[in-house]
Amino acid sequence: MRSLLIAACTFFVAMPVGLVLAATPDQQAPRRAAANNLVLEAQGTGVSRVQVQVDAHDLASPLRFDFEAAKGEVIGGLAVPPGSRRTFTVTSFDARGEATHSGSAV
């Protein structure tokens, strides 16, 4: 499970770079500040919920996203406003609501 959370955090850090690299030249010209759409996908025995918190100096308050497990998987999407130095913290919880694993990445 720890490797799952580390992989999820790595994904969050790599995803915006992938979005820029995958964009065509006309898409790279900023037209307006749009949110970065990210996807969370996690699997693990005993995980009933995953919480993602996004912190940054330019956000008025941290963004929090909660995803419930269904059939042993947690899948969800999040929209994060553009900006730099976003810290993503991913925490998984068991059925009792106790945190089982946590990891973060900038």
Side-chain angles (χ1 to χ4, degrees), residues 47-82:
V47 174
S48 65
R49 180 172 65 93
V50 173
Q51 181 181 79
V52 179
Q53 182 168 311
V54 183
D55 292 300
H57 69 280
D58 62 337
L59 296 175
S61 60
L63 304 175
R64 182 173 289 165
F65 304 90
D66 288 296
F67 303 98
E68 299 293 326
K71 299 180 183 177
E73 291 185 322
V74 178
I75 300 174
L78 24 124
V80 178

Side-chain angles (χ1 to χ4, degrees), residues 2-48:
R2 181 178 167 89
S3 62
L4 167 70
L5 292 174
I6 291 170
C9 288
T10 302
F11 173 78
F12 285 128
V13 171
M15 185 61 179
V17 174
L19 289 174
V20 170
L21 295 176
T24 62
D26 60 309
Q27 291 172 323
Q28 290 178 359
R31 293 187 187 113
R32 62 184 169 92
N36 292 319
N37 295 316
L38 306 172
V39 175
L40 168 74
E41 183 173 355
Q43 295 178 340
T45 57
V47 174
S48 65

